Amino acid sequence: MSPSTEKTSLSCVIAFRNEEAHLTKLIEGLKKQQNVSFEVVLIDDHSTDNSFALANKLTADLPTFTVLKNKGWGKKAALANGVAASRFDYLVFTDADCIHPQNWLANMAHYFNSSSALLLVGPVRLTKPTNFFEYFQAFDFLSLVTSAAGAIGASRPIMCNGANLAVYKDLWLAAQSSLKEEWASGDDIFLLQYCKAHKKNIAFVNSHHAIVQTYPEPKLSAFLQQRARWASKSKGYTDNFTLLVAWTVLLVNLFILALPLLFLLYIPLSFGLLALYIIKITLDYHLIKRGAYFFKMKLNTGSYLGIAFIYPLYIIASVLWAFFGNNTWKNRKINQIIYLL
């Protein structure tokens, strides 16, 4: 079934759990969406705080907003409940702890109307950093989003982010058996891999007006837990190219960490690897610089070099945390598997 060529209406589906601190800003931002026909379906995934009551209070006089309780358990079940209640042929997904510009949905609708894409990967960035830890997170995140955009542009998509994702509803429904409910995370990447495997058109939304912002983690433990949660889906990957990229990233960073030891064991080889490392961080710098320009972020060369130096340590720390850390999300245990991305 092909999407309609008429004016696109969007169903924005958002699962939330214990987001009392963010719901007011979320709903205020969605209320201000302009120049687009849309509805918002909010699904409470068994919050233990006042989120459900607050969401109902904030949307009581908003006929285009619907608030539901999750009939199942977990984010994927919540999204399925939301999609079942949605009215329109195009779905937009985001997270409750995000900030949305007023033309966000209008830009997503425009991309559906002006292209043949059935899956749209929208741009996401972290809010403006205030310290080095947040700066590290911002540019780590920037490198992922920029790589994702480049891979989509090269017709080799490898990742996306559920904070800004849109899809034709019939396609999302057809992909349900491939979204792997046994994994706590991955509603976004498994959908991407399904679309890629079935040769559906995927596009990156290359618009400043479609940038969704989310927040950095306040503590190192929370940051590593977030990365472990992202990693919890990697055992379910079915795309060989994505797996190749993931293992390449891991092995390259292992070699970088091994450089001091290699200098002691075999100096000629070490100089060759060091030269490759310098080439790598130079290429990475130019990639991230392009991403920073798009997102209007300042790229400080000194801070970048500091990040490049500690990045391999961060990757290995993420591996160890995924194996041995107390990995929870929203007070729920997540799968413990090796960190690949």
Side-chain angles (χ1 to χ4, degrees):
M1 182 177 179
S2 298
S4 170
T5 57
E6 297 175 0
K7 184 177 180 180
T8 302
S9 297
L10 304 175
S11 293
C12 183
V13 180
I14 307 170
F16 66 92
R17 174 176 165 81
N18 296 342
E19 294 288 358
E20 189 174 359
H22 295 119
L23 283 174
T24 299
K25 183 169 285 189
L26 169 74
I27 292 169
E28 284 299 318
L30 294 175
K31 282 166 54 178
K32 295 176 181 177
Q33 295 300 303
Q34 298 180 344
N35 305 314
V36 63
S37 171
F38 74 100
E39 66 171 347
V40 177
V41 183
L42 297 161
I43 313 95
D44 174 52
D45 183 22
H46 306 280
S47 293
T48 57
D49 63 5
N50 196 45
S51 292
F52 181 71
L54 178 61
N56 274 296
K57 178 182 177 181
L58 293 171
T59 62
D61 60 346
L62 302 174
T64 57
F65 283 67
T66 302
V67 182
L68 307 171
K69 275 190 172 290
N70 187 8
K71 297 177 182 178
W73 191 260
K75 182 182 179 182
K76 292 178 184 176
L79 293 178
N81 288 173
V83 172
S86 66
R87 297 185 292 121
F88 300 130
D89 289 336
Y90 293 86
L91 307 171
V92 182
F93 299 105
T94 188
D95 295 329
D97 59 345
C98 288
I99 303 168
H100 304 90
Q102 63 185 13
N103 287 313
W104 170 53
L105 290 178
N107 272 268
M108 303 303 273
H110 170 73
Y111 263 73
F112 276 129
N113 284 331
S114 61
S115 74
S116 60
L118 297 179
L119 178 68
L120 299 179
V121 177
V124 185
R125 59 160 291 178
L126 296 190
T127 55
K128 186 177 180 179
T130 60
N131 54 53
F132 181 78
F133 179 50
E134 291 183 357
Y135 190 89
F136 177 88
Q137 292 183 66
F139 279 88
D140 173 50
F141 198 87
L142 175 64
S143 69
L144 295 175
V145 175
T146 305
S147 298
I152 291 170
S155 300
R156 302 297 295 269
I158 55 174
M159 60 182 127
C160 58
N161 194 303
N164 195 359
L165 198 66
V167 63
Y168 185 49
K169 185 193 287 188
D170 281 1
L171 179 56
W172 188 89
L173 292 171
Q176 285 310 287
S177 62
S178 301
L179 298 189
K180 304 181 189 294
E181 292 185 7
E182 64 271 24
W183 300 103
S185 184
D187 49 283
D188 47 8
I189 189 68
F190 295 137
L191 176 62
L192 177 79
Q193 292 189 357
Y194 176 89
C195 293
K196 182 178 179 180
H198 289 79
K199 302 187 185 306
K200 305 300 182 182
N201 288 337
I202 302 168
F204 180 77
V205 181
N206 189 26
S207 169
H208 296 284
H209 301 293
I211 296 173
V212 168
Q213 295 188 73
T214 188
Y215 298 94
E217 294 295 338
K219 297 179 180 179
L220 178 61
S221 59
F223 173 60
L224 292 175
Q225 283 196 2
Q226 181 192 62
R227 294 310 195 256
R229 173 171 62 86
W230 290 358
S232 70
K233 57 200 172 190
S234 58
K235 264 192 175 178
Y237 287 178
T238 56
D239 181 62
N240 289 331
F241 182 71
T242 302
L243 288 168
L244 175 63
V245 171
W247 279 108
T248 300
V249 169
L250 180 60
L251 292 174
V252 166
N253 283 281
L254 280 172
F255 275 118
I256 292 170
L257 278 184
L259 274 175
L261 178 61
L262 290 173
F263 261 109
L264 295 175
L265 296 177
Y266 190 60
I267 292 178
L269 174 63
S270 302
F271 276 115
L273 291 175
L274 181 60
L276 290 175
Y277 175 52
I278 293 172
I279 293 172
K280 175 189 179 301
I281 63 174
T282 302
L283 293 175
D284 287 348
Y285 176 81
H286 287 289
L287 173 69
I288 293 175
K289 187 176 181 180
R290 292 184 65 181
Y293 178 80
F294 173 78
F295 285 102
K296 298 181 180 179
M297 298 170 64
K298 292 183 179 179
L299 180 58
N300 181 282
T301 304
S303 296
Y304 167 76
L305 291 174
I307 291 172
F309 179 75
I310 65 176
Y311 193 80
L313 293 171
Y314 148 66
I315 291 292
I316 303 308
S318 299
V319 171
L320 295 175
W321 193 275
F323 264 122
F324 305 113
N326 180 25
N327 296 310
T328 61
W329 181 56
K330 305 286 187 180
N331 299 316
R332 292 171 176 169
K333 192 76 173 177
I334 66 172
N335 306 70
Q336 289 184 324
I337 64 169
I338 190 166
Y339 183 90
L340 293 179
L341 284 175

